[in-house]
Amino acid sequence: ILVASILAGVAASSAPALVSIAMVSMVLEPFGLPPFIGIVVLTVINPLVDPLLTLANVMGNAATAALVADKARAGLGELSPG
């Protein structure tokens, strides 16, 4: 069950909510729980968690862009042809 949960988490890390339903139902199956519980859980939890995931994604992208821009500005004088 632990391995299935880890694999489902890795597979669903960047998946939209619709794909996550399949992953959650795959994890709930060994517990003998019906798949519609996964649908209910994701329907209730996803609107609460999705803005936080979006925030983390945007902040990571912004930080990466700032680092690349800083490195590009610092290394501009070091560029030489050939």
Side-chain angles (χ1 to χ4, degrees):
I1 294 172
L2 179 65
V3 173
S5 298
I6 291 171
L7 291 176
V10 169
S13 62
S14 63
L18 187 60
V19 177
S20 299
I21 292 171
M23 298 298 167
V24 169
S25 65
M26 181 178 76
V27 172
L28 292 177
E29 189 176 321
F31 293 112
L33 297 171
F36 74 85
I37 289 181
I39 296 170
V40 171
V41 167
L42 284 177
T43 303
V44 172
I45 302 281
N46 194 40
L48 301 173
V49 175
D50 195 40
L52 298 174
L53 294 175
T54 302
L55 175 68
N57 193 5
V58 169
M59 292 300 289
N61 289 342
T64 302
L67 287 173
V68 169
D70 187 48
K71 294 292 182 185
R73 267 186 253 141
L76 220 64
E78 299 173 12
L79 295 178
S80 60

